Amino acid sequence: MNAGTLAARAVILVGRPQFLTRERARRLVERAGGRLVSLRDFGGRDAGGALAVFGTRGTAALIRDGTLAQTLQRYRASGAEPVSEIALLRAVGVMEPLRADAQARAFSSDDVARSARIAEQDVESLTIAGAIEPVDGRFTFADLRAARTVASWLADGVPLHELAGHVATARRTGTVLDAGAGVPDLDPSGQASLDLAADAPNLHDAIARAEEADAHDLPRESVRWWQIAATAAPRDATLRFNLGCALLQAGSPREAELQFERAAHLDPGMADAWFNAAHAARVQARADRALLHLDRAIDADPRWAEPLIQRMRTAVDAEAWEVLAQLLTRLETLTLNDAEATFAKQTRQLLHLVTGRSES
């Protein structure tokens, strides 16, 4: 699945993504011509034509629990097309489109399973996790090599649910896997099974407890579990982002700002993190830091209107009319919703009244 395949299609996020916040996913899907819908919207109903995007972290949990196969079957039966989170990243332009190499030999799922000496069900699991990616149903030699590497680590006793997320991370970052290097340290990818606490045997459970605390508006409890999860997976930008949100809710804006900054440095495209960092700085009355974060949010995602609008509000407050004119020009190049279009019109009128300048 590549760019241009989302036109007029509904997209369902199944399980937890590893590389996207939900807001960022919504924004990217809408730009690609699709629409992000909730699981509730398709509960028990026909989902014909929809894409069921299996988040890398959620897929690892389904593999661990042994429920991936029936979950895939359920979505296929409803008419949805299951795809990996990596496939969505390609479809919305975050990763380069995947193209078949006419000069390279292509392998079937049977070929991969036989050569790597893994079960066909494992091939499907690795595909949905984004660890290997077929083009028109055929796998490349790079996929075959990745599957053999996974088979080697499986033989060493590492569970498939840990490896799936690790290999997907390698694909996302362009890392070459090497079975000869031995079993990797899985903690940085957030996929290791960790003894986090007596009542939380692994990372998946820590995230589930954090989300449960969020749902019941228990900010301190939420902070505790997101901290455990972020400590277990220190290079996971989405976990850092979630921890920042929990800290804000718990009344700790300085600590929240630091977590948002870390998330943005881990994933430079996460404009959401810079935008939230700006809010955290404003709560602390640190206006200069807020402006810096807003500018970084705009740079990280120039097509997102909300940071631009917030930056324009600060320009109005400071009576920085030249800055406002420049920002308005940038805003006019974007596709705006009704509220944003109304704001642009009102700002243009204000600029004309103040400076006598007519902005087109």
Side-chain angles (χ1 to χ4, degrees):
M1 186 177 76
N2 286 323
T5 61
L6 295 188
R9 299 186 76 173
V11 175
I12 311 164
L13 285 182
V14 183
R16 301 181 185 91
Q18 183 165 328
F19 306 112
L20 291 168
T21 64
R22 186 173 185 84
E23 170 59 25
R24 187 181 180 195
R26 180 194 63 74
R27 213 161 55 240
L28 293 170
V29 166
E30 288 179 355
R31 286 182 194 163
R35 55 190 176 90
L36 190 67
V37 297
S38 68
L39 284 170
R40 191 180 302 108
D41 292 336
F42 283 94
R45 301 190 326 186
D46 175 47
L51 289 176
V53 178
F54 281 69
T56 301
R57 190 177 298 286
T59 299
L62 291 171
I63 295 172
R64 185 200 67 171
D65 296 341
T67 57
L68 178 61
Q70 61 246 49
T71 304
L72 290 171
Q73 183 178 10
R74 185 168 68 250
Y75 278 96
R76 286 176 176 137
S78 72
E81 177 188 352
V83 297
S84 69
E85 182 181 341
I86 297 290
L88 178 66
L89 293 177
R90 294 196 191 281
V92 298
V94 172
M95 292 177 66
E96 288 294 317
L98 191 64
R99 297 185 176 89
D101 186 344
Q103 305 302 316
R105 181 181 172 189
F107 302 90
S108 68
S109 179
D110 286 344
D111 293 333
V112 173
R114 185 169 52 254
S115 177
R117 297 184 180 180
I118 58 177
E120 275 201 66
Q121 183 174 328
D122 291 343
V123 174
E124 181 176 56
S125 296
L126 291 172
T127 301
I128 290 298
I132 56 179
E133 293 183 273
V135 179
D136 298 328
R138 309 289 287 182
F139 295 91
T140 66
F141 181 75
D143 290 316
L144 187 63
R145 183 175 60 189
R148 286 173 174 167
T149 300
V150 168
S152 172
W153 289 332
L154 287 172
D156 287 334
V158 182
L160 179 62
H161 74 271
E162 295 181 10
L163 293 173
H166 175 77
V167 184
T169 299
R171 180 174 288 276
R172 172 79 171 91
T173 57
T175 305
V176 177
L177 297 170
D178 181 9
V183 180
D185 175 6
L186 298 179
D187 287 4
S189 72
Q191 301 302 321
S193 180
L194 299 173
D195 184 13
L196 300 176
D199 58 347
N202 56 51
L203 179 63
H204 170 72
D205 287 346
I207 296 172
R209 288 173 184 269
E211 292 181 336
E212 183 179 4
D214 288 339
H216 289 86
D217 195 22
L218 300 170
R220 288 297 175 188
E221 188 73 3
S222 172
V223 167
R224 176 188 171 219
W225 288 109
W226 284 124
Q227 283 177 330
I228 290 174
T231 301
R235 297 196 61 77
D236 188 307
T238 305
L239 291 182
R240 293 283 175 188
F241 178 87
N242 291 343
L243 174 55
C245 292
L247 285 163
L248 261 182
Q249 188 70 17
S252 302
R254 179 59 184 143
E255 292 82 355
E257 183 184 359
L258 290 173
Q259 294 301 328
F260 290 133
E261 288 177 338
R262 289 174 183 171
H265 286 304
L266 288 168
D267 184 352
M270 190 180 279
D272 313 53
W274 286 124
F275 184 72
N276 282 17
H279 174 68
R282 281 197 303 275
V283 170
Q284 302 170 72
R286 303 172 72 204
D288 290 346
R289 294 288 296 176
L291 289 180
L292 178 63
H293 294 327
L294 276 178
D295 287 340
R296 286 172 169 169
I298 293 167
D299 290 341
D301 190 350
R303 297 174 61 191
W304 185 19
E306 196 166 353
L308 267 173
I309 288 175
Q310 186 59 47
R311 184 68 179 86
M312 290 167 69
R313 294 187 192 281
T314 66
V316 170
D317 291 342
E319 300 184 1
W321 307 120
E322 289 297 328
V323 172
L324 182 63
Q326 295 168 10
L327 293 169
L328 182 59
T329 299
R330 295 183 65 169
L331 186 67
E332 297 293 353
T333 65
L334 306 183
T335 301
L336 307 177
N337 60 33
D338 290 345
E340 292 165 347
T342 298
F343 173 83
K345 180 179 179 181
Q346 292 172 343
T347 305
R348 188 165 53 247
Q349 292 171 341
L350 172 65
L351 193 62
H352 176 63
L353 287 172
V354 172
T355 67
R357 179 187 314 185
S358 178
E359 297 291 332
S360 58

